[in-house]
Amino acid sequence: MPVEINGLLNHNISSETHPLPFTHFDRDGIIRMAKLHDDWGYDKVLLANAAVMPDNISLAGFVAAATERLGVMLAHRPGFIPPTMAARMLATIDQLMPGRIGVHIITAASDEEVKADGDYVSKVERYDRAREYIGILREMWSNPQPFNHDEKWFRFDGGFAAVKPTRSDIPIYFGGMSPAALDVAGECADVFATLSDTVEGMTEVVEKVRANAKLHNRDPRFLMSIRIVIADTEEAAWQRADELRDTIAGNLGDLDVNTAAAKASGFRRTEEIAKRGDRLEKCFWNGINQLRGGQSNSGALVGTAEQLSDALMDYYDAGVSAFILRGFDPVDDVIAIGRDLIPLLRAKVAARDEENATSA
């Protein structure tokens, strides 16, 4: 299966090494980063979503206008926009950037955070609502006639989308490690998305989600988000990792603290991995996770492009065929990953697929 390689696009050019106020909005920076990801071979960029963030649906249209082939993985919270309207909005974006959009359904890290948008239902209820919401999106995208809906969370008469996706469907990405999340993911996800993890951990996740999905005759793909520390030699890569830790430690006072994230099951899992040590497996590094604790998705792979591609192939063999790869320098690492790592990883995946097809 071809590998999908994504990046992350924020509303400013900021990172732990180059912190900017969260309120800083950089229109030119958005264009610059979109074009960099487009030029250096990324498939999509994740456009995140939270109660206080700029509207990412608007950003998706802006990215579409600024790029030639780059797609977007649009984080979207069910229930804040009626599913009928969301289906039309997403299908419209897909028409503007044909085949280049996926929607990442998220339910928020905490009950407290969503109250800023007036949502007072519990986390378990939000997952249940997401299940119904996804079903409506798919019905809106596929049904050639208006239809009625009257279930637990949504009711409407004559729902219809005159605009349909350019493909039969828009891929649904879905994440979460709680029992409620895994249940909905097994039923609904085209791609199950996780935070950084070890190969051992991802093997466990893949088995668990596949078991749930099998109950619904589904076979989702898997995506993992992980940070990259890349250099020309192994020694230089680990030296850079140490320098990054020192730099970020000095910037902690300028970094936003996401206390809500620490309550989410996925981030608690990240915190547990961080407690296992500084270095794990081939080149998994917990340095920044240990600095920032359960509020940070900063598990990293450290090494040369060759070493990093080998480590990522271990994840591929464990069932992960999509990644969000990002470094710690918001500009230079996008280029280095695109120039040195992405072509190598794609070539190794193609060779592995050919090898598997020959031996089948």
Side-chain angles (χ1 to χ4, degrees), residues 131-157:
R131 186 198 316 266
E132 186 175 334
Y133 194 95
I134 293 168
I136 294 170
L137 291 181
R138 287 179 166 147
E139 182 77 2
M140 289 285 292
W141 292 332
S142 63
N143 200 323
Q145 301 294 330
F147 66 97
N148 301 336
H149 181 92
D150 187 1
E151 294 186 14
K152 179 177 179 180
W153 294 102
F154 303 101
R155 176 185 175 186
F156 55 84
D157 295 331

Side-chain angles (χ1 to χ4, degrees), residues 317-348:
D317 291 337
V320 181
S321 61
F323 299 93
I324 296 176
L325 302 181
R326 60 190 182 104
F328 291 92
D329 185 291
V331 174
D332 290 348
D333 282 340
V334 169
I335 297 170
I337 292 168
R339 181 190 62 222
D340 300 329
L341 179 55
I342 290 177
L344 192 56
L345 179 58
R346 291 197 194 280
K348 289 186 177 183

Side-chain angles (χ1 to χ4, degrees), residues 50-51 77 108-114 123 126 257-268 294-296:
R77 291 185 170 182
S110 77
D111 296 347
E112 290 75 19
E113 196 251 347
V114 294
K123 180 179 180 180
R126 292 197 299 275
V257 178
N258 188 355
T259 55
K263 300 179 181 180
S265 299
F267 283 97
R268 289 201 300 271
Q295 58 168 302
S296 172

Side-chain angles (χ1 to χ4, degrees), residues 64-130:
T67 58
E68 297 295 328
R69 45 157 297 280
L70 184 70
V72 296
M73 179 179 163
L74 185 69
H76 182 72
R77 291 185 170 182
F80 297 88
I81 299 173
T84 50
M85 183 180 295
R88 295 192 296 270
M89 295 169 77
L90 293 166
T92 301
I93 296 172
D94 187 67
Q95 287 286 340
L96 293 172
M97 49 193 319
R100 292 157 59 189
I101 183 175
V103 58
H104 183 21
I105 298 294
I106 56 174
T107 55
S110 77
D111 296 347
E112 290 75 19
E113 196 251 347
V114 294
K115 291 176 184 177
D117 278 326
D119 191 19
Y120 289 86
V121 303
S122 70
K123 180 179 180 180
V124 171
E125 289 174 315
R126 292 197 299 275
Y127 279 117
D128 186 52
R129 182 176 62 187

Side-chain angles (χ1 to χ4, degrees), residues 5 63 68 88 125 157 161 198 223 233 253 273 290 305 314 344:
I5 303 174
V63 170
E68 297 295 328
R88 295 192 296 270
E125 289 174 315
D157 295 331
T198 60
L223 175 147
T233 68
I273 294 170
Q290 291 168 338
D314 290 341
L344 192 56

